[in-house]
Amino acid sequence: MINVLFTGTAVVLLCFAAYWVRGRGGHRPTGTWAMAALLTSFALAFASYAPAVERAVESVVPHVARLLSNTFTLTAATAVLAFLFQLNLDRERADRQIRLRVIALAISVTGMTAFFVAEQLTGRNPVLYACYVLIYISYLGYTAKDFLLQTWVHSKRSTRRSQCWGLRTTSVGCGFALLYAAYKLFALISIGLGLGLIPDHARCSSPLTPFRCAFSVTAPAVAVLLITVGLTLPALLWPLSQLRRRRWERNSFTALEPLWREVTSAVPEVVLDPGTTEVDSHDLDFHLHRRVIEINDCVLALRPYRRTSVRDSAAAEAARRGTAETPRGEAEVEAAVIAAAVAAKRTGLPLYGDEAPPAAGTRSRKGDLPAETAWLLLVAKAYARHPAPENTGATSPSHPGPENAEAALPGRPAPEHAEAASPSHPTPEHAEAASPSRPTPKNTGAAS
């Protein structure tokens, strides 16, 4: 079980290291080599913990596996900070901090090696072993604490969700590293005072057996895995997020096409390049930006044709369906206003009545591409689901404004055809009003 755990972890870490250093056809991200050194060091440390590897190297030098694994662990801790320095500091300060850490690492490894050799020559002196452990846990604990604080602070400032959760996962990993350092400090005190609370050089039969192995084996293993996953998570999720974004851009671009064709047919002068019809799949962001801008420009150009009567009628219909004051209901109202404006602009007929204001929530809505696209997608869906009549709100010379204005009053649905309100095509209301049993109101539906 122990062989599988440590050997498998080492293989996974080496795969992560290969992913970081592989060529991506461009400039490598900042901190690539520091991350590769971190993952490789952790992989070598875990490989040295595997009983099979430990027996092989200790057949040459007794107990040297401990020195190797501890050295690789401190190297990985230094690489962690080097990675963070390269991300958060300017190049000059980062290089200076990295040099200081490398010097401290060299001093620590040299001191550990000296005490290890002296311990072997003197028959495993407990005092020399305690000095060895003191150097190891001091450097490891200081590095883990420093890294924990920095990653947690930067996780609160991060705007990318994957980076935020990656840094927090790394912080939890640093917490397990500090737990391991605390265990080693407890073992050091036990050895130094001769308490015998922790059996010296006893092997673990499983990650949790005996109980102390939960601190000496499982805690560092979990710490390394969480730190590795946390630091690598943004790099792994970046291609997936880009794929998801491109899919969203493509779907949004396609869904907006019917609305775009409608409004640009009425205001063709807003189209930036009418001759361009092909869309490059690698430049969907640009084309979606362009489509959103052109639709919004058309809406602005159609402002003289936006009528309050149409908006009030659509708002009353939305209230009847129970969608008033919701994004869907507001989009339905805007779609009705735009459809009427497009129809009036196409026919070139004058309009009567007050100009309808912009859609509700326009000022409070974010002006970025996702927010504008989400709003226009709602409008496009409503436009396709409830197309407005071709001449809604328009007034011809033979059909002046009063009858159309009456048809567009709040709480009263708009007629399906513009001629439906004329004397030759009476609506049910007009037919009822003109019946013999009921007097006809003056000027109702009359043409002047």
Side-chain angles (χ1 to χ4, degrees), residues 53-68 116-117 120:
V53 177
E54 185 177 356
R55 286 192 296 268
V57 296
E58 289 187 353
S59 63
V60 180
V61 179
H63 310 293
V64 74
R66 182 188 68 197
L67 176 63
L68 292 177
F116 173 79
V117 173
Q120 297 302 313

Side-chain angles (χ1 to χ4, degrees), residues 57-121:
V57 296
E58 289 187 353
S59 63
V60 180
V61 179
H63 310 293
V64 74
R66 182 188 68 197
L67 176 63
L68 292 177
S69 62
N70 293 342
T71 300
F72 290 135
T73 300
L74 295 186
T75 303
T78 304
V80 166
L81 286 180
F83 176 77
L84 192 64
F85 290 150
Q86 290 180 340
L87 288 181
N88 300 327
L89 303 178
D90 58 81
R91 185 171 182 177
E92 183 178 352
R93 290 183 59 194
D95 291 343
R96 182 170 62 252
Q97 291 293 332
I98 292 173
R99 281 196 299 270
L100 292 175
R101 297 288 178 169
V102 171
I103 293 173
L105 173 65
I107 295 174
S108 300
V109 172
T110 301
M112 289 166 55
T113 304
F115 282 114
F116 173 79
V117 173
E119 182 190 1
Q120 297 302 313
L121 295 177

Side-chain angles (χ1 to χ4, degrees), residues 140-212:
L140 179 63
Y142 174 75
T143 304
K145 181 268 300 181
D146 194 17
F147 192 52
L148 170 63
L149 295 177
Q150 294 190 51
T151 52
W152 186 257
V153 169
H154 285 286
S155 69
K156 297 180 179 179
R157 302 175 183 172
S158 178
T159 56
R160 287 175 51 193
R161 183 178 300 179
S162 61
Q163 189 178 60
C164 176
W165 284 107
L167 289 173
R168 290 184 179 181
T169 302
T170 303
S171 299
V172 175
C174 292
F176 277 95
L178 289 175
L179 181 64
Y180 170 69
Y183 163 77
K184 297 297 288 186
L185 179 61
F186 180 76
L188 176 63
I189 295 174
S190 175
I191 294 173
L193 298 179
L195 302 178
L197 299 176
I198 298 178
D200 190 19
H201 306 298
R203 296 183 180 273
C204 295
S205 58
S206 75
L208 299 175
T209 307
F211 178 71
R212 65 178 183 81

Side-chain angles (χ1 to χ4, degrees), residues 339-363:
V342 168
K345 179 66 168 58
R346 283 175 179 169
T347 58
L349 297 177
L351 293 174
Y352 295 88
D354 296 333
E355 179 181 316
T362 299
R363 293 184 179 274

Side-chain angles (χ1 to χ4, degrees), residues 355-416:
E355 179 181 316
T362 299
R363 293 184 179 274
S364 60
R365 188 170 62 249
K366 291 182 179 180
D368 55 9
L369 179 64
E372 290 296 321
T373 303
W375 164 248
L376 291 179
L377 286 173
L378 289 176
V379 176
K381 186 176 180 180
Y383 196 102
R385 186 172 60 248
H386 301 295
E390 184 177 355
N391 291 324
T392 300
T395 306
S396 64
S398 60
H399 298 85
E403 57 204 59
N404 289 320
E406 182 183 351
L409 287 175
R412 188 170 180 180
E416 294 185 359

